[in-house]
Structures are given as C-alpha cells and as structure tokens.
Amino acid sequence: MKNRQMEQFQEIFGTRGEGLYFSPGRVNLIGEHIDYNGGTVLPCAITCGTWGVAAKRTDRKLRMYSQNFKDRGVIETDLSDLRFDPKDDWANYVKGVLYFLRETIGEWPCGLDIFVEGDIPNGAGLSSSASLEVLIGTMVNDLFCLGKTPLDIVRLSKKAENDFVGVNCGIMDQFAVGMGRKDHAVALDTRTLEYDYIPARFPGVRLVIMNTNKRRGLADSKYNERREACEAALKNLQQALDISCLCQLSPEELEKYEHLIADPVGRGRARHAVTENARVKAAVNALRRQDIRRFGQLMNESHISLRDDYEVTGKELDALVESAWKQPGVLGARMTGAGFGGCAVALVKEDWVDAFVKQVGDDYTRAIGYAPDFYMPAVGDGAGKRNTQSDGD
Ligand code: GLA
C-alpha cells in the first residue's frame, strides 16, 4: 500500500507502519449545550479529520509524532508511566486514552510508535481533540486485538478528556466521531445513549462551515460556568419535581416551575436547554420528512436562544450568523460547538454558495477586522481503518 502517511511514518520511525486509520471531526447541526443536560443532540461526522499510522515496538516506549506540530518532534515516554504533562501538549490526548485503555486490559504487551496528521483547524470547535482521542483508541484496539466496541472507545475517549486532560465536556463529540455514518446525522439521546441515524442528504444544498478564526481563549472556564448554572437550576427545580436532568422537562413544564430557579440568569440557561431539546425533536422530524426549510428555521431559533438565553455566541459568531441570515439561498445558520468563537454552520442552496462565501466574508471582515474561513466537508463515516487516503476524503 502506498500512502503519504505510511511513508512519513517510515521516514520518522525507520520502520513500517502496521495500518492506516482515519477519525473524523464533527459538526453539530442542532442541540447545543444539552449533552450535559440529558438532551438529544444531532451532530454528524465530517470528512475533515485525523489520520493515524501506528506500529508495535519491541520495548515499552511510547513514541508519538504529529505532522501538525513538527517543531515538537517525536515525543517519547514510557507506556507504564503515563502522566499528564502540559509541555507535551497534543500528546496528552494520546496518553489519556492509553492510560484508561490500560485500566481495562492490564499491562501493555509492548510499546508503540504513533504518527498522526489532521486537517481540522485546532480550537475551531470541530472536535479536533475528540478526533485524536477516538483515533488512538480505534488504532490501538485494532493493533492489539483488544475487542473493544466503538462505543467502548467513545466512552473511554470522553473519560480521557474529562479526567486526564481535565476538560469537562459531554459525550456528543466523541460519540459523533466514533459512531458517525456517511450521509447521516446521529440523533443521540445523551441521557440514555440511545441513538438513531437520520439521513442527512440535502439535495441541492451545501453544508457550509464558517470559522470565526477567533481562538476560544477563556472558553473552558465559561463552559464550566454554564454547566454549573444548569446544575444549580436543576437543584432548585428538584425541590418540586422528580427529574434527574433539565431536558426531562417540556418548555411548558419549565414555564410553570421556572420561578423556583433562584438566579434569573440561571432561568435563561435552563430555558435554553429545555427549548433547545424541543427544537432538536422538531428538527429530527423535519429531517425525516426532508423539510429542510423547517430544519433551517429551527437552526436560526437555536442560534437566537444560544445568543440571548445561554449567552455563548459573542460578537464574532453573531456577525457571521447574522450576515448569513441575510443572504439569498440560505435555509438556516447557527453557531456550532461550545461557542465563544469557533465555528458556525449554514445550509446554503448550491447555486448561491459562491456569492454567500464572498458576501459573508466581506461583512465579517468589515465588522471584525480579519477574515473568516469557509469549509464544505461532506458528512462522512466514523473512525476506522482505511485502505487508502481517499477512503476518508
Ligand atoms: C463542546 C463539548 C460538547 C458539547 C458542546 C456544546 O463541543 O465538547 O460536549 O457540550 O461543546 O454543545
């Protein structure tokens, strides 16, 4: 098999790689900030992602190289001593997954060389970290015949992100990356982990991802603040209601009981979670009947709720989305991912895409002072072994 990543692996490690793997990024179509509130989310895997090649070693070393962080060279550690180290940067995601995999298999039979290369912009909210985690889990599971299911890898990758890297995310990203399916969105009930694949072909319509190019900065602390506000609101509601998460309530039920939420800001946070969950249900129905227009309206309403009730958009995402709404041929647009920067997503009629990119690009640059980027990946499969590079593109 001739493949660029396989060749690069050989150049760096001086030995042949044993297999080529791909793990996608994700874009969430609707259902934002509710994967930690027991809601239903609707992400899909995209054809941008992370490639990986690995091979077993005869000693117990773990050696890792990323083509995206060439300056850092090969990062080396011992497989029996995996610890978070801020200076190892991207390699902590690899170590985290291997750390928790080891808990389930006992000791590693031998060491590993790992090469990765990705085309998901870092920090853009398209899940480059979940892509890397799930890639490592998938690769190592296969190489060592560990017998883990894709869902095991998803759970383990989330654990690595929460408990090794220390980011308190929900399960949506790892799930979409590990379980995504070509041309389908995944409707995932994050309370029960029941899921369903919904055909997500939009005839004559393109999925356009718009990157604010704003680094997320304080995003993690603000993300955690939102989670805490939801937890506090839930506690207040539990005085009168037998519920384990906010998304068990309908918007009507919340209206009846929202006076119990002590903090007025918390009331807005809860309102977003509950109404967003209702929007996802409506969006799934719209997608099933191929009613893209209705789907687009729900995307717009989702953005407004994230802007006004959840307050996670910020001026950059609002500038992109509000410009997108004004363009001809646009069915819907909203921020996607955690917010505070990162990306937005729009559904745009094919004939209008060029004009859309030009106009939204100009509007954004005028308002914010620098240019956005646009990507148009297809909806692809979840992580797995690939024979050639074109399998994932
Ligand atoms: C980030 C987190 C996800 C999810 C989204 C918001 O991407 O990793 O778990 O909470 O934000 O929907």
Side-chain angles (χ1 to χ4, degrees), residues 7 16 79 134 184 234 364 369:
E7 282 169 5
R16 283 173 72 84
L79 257 186
V134 175
H184 289 75
L234 175 65
Y364 183 82

Side-chain angles (χ1 to χ4, degrees), residues 26 28 31-36 169-173 223 337-338:
R26 70 95 188 91
N28 188 21
E32 218 63 81
H33 283 281
I34 55 172
D35 64 341
Y36 51 85
C169 64
I171 199 166
M172 171 173 76
D173 302 348
Y223 183 89

Side-chain angles (χ1 to χ4, degrees), residues 42-204:
L42 193 65
C44 29
I46 54 176
T47 47
C48 305
T50 319
W51 290 91
V53 180
K56 294 182 218 100
R57 296 176 56 86
T58 49
D59 57 16
R60 304 199 44 79
K61 281 184 189 154
L62 170 63
R63 304 186 77 222
M64 304 162 275
Y65 178 87
S66 167
Q67 188 69 10
N68 300 80
F69 297 96
K70 285 188 199 157
D71 309 351
R72 293 179 186 259
V74 174
I75 298 175
E76 188 176 308
T77 177
D78 194 291
L79 257 186
S80 40
D81 182 30
L82 296 174
R83 273 182 261 178
F84 181 86
D85 184 344
K87 80 172 175 352
D88 285 348
D89 197 38
W90 70 273
N92 284 305
Y93 294 101
V94 180
K95 291 197 276 179
V97 172
L98 297 180
Y99 180 88
F100 288 116
L101 253 179
R102 181 181 159 219
E103 281 194 344
T104 72
I105 62 161
E107 205 35 84
W108 293 105
C110 60
L112 269 174
D113 287 334
I114 294 178
F115 169 95
V116 300
E117 176 176 26
D119 63 358
I120 310 170
N122 290 329
L126 301 176
S127 293
S128 56
S129 58
S131 175
L132 176 57
E133 290 151 4
V134 175
L135 173 76
I136 300 302
T138 305
M139 227 161 33
V140 172
N141 183 39
D142 199 45
L143 281 183
F144 289 124
C145 303
L146 301 179
K148 303 279 169 209
T149 64
L151 191 54
D152 293 336
I153 305 285
V154 164
R155 285 205 170 99
L156 214 125
S157 299
K158 174 181 181 277
K159 199 166 161 55
E161 180 104 28
N162 294 161
D163 300 340
F164 196 89
V165 179
V167 176
N168 201 12
C169 64
I171 199 166
M172 171 173 76
D173 302 348
Q174 289 80 7
F175 201 97
V177 166
M179 307 287 289
R181 182 186 283 181
K182 188 173 184 331
D183 294 331
H184 289 75
V186 194
L188 168 68
D189 179 333
T190 59
R191 188 162 65 96
T192 60
L193 290 196
E194 279 167 28
Y195 62 98
D196 203 0
Y197 292 110
I198 320 286
R201 286 178 203 262
F202 307 103

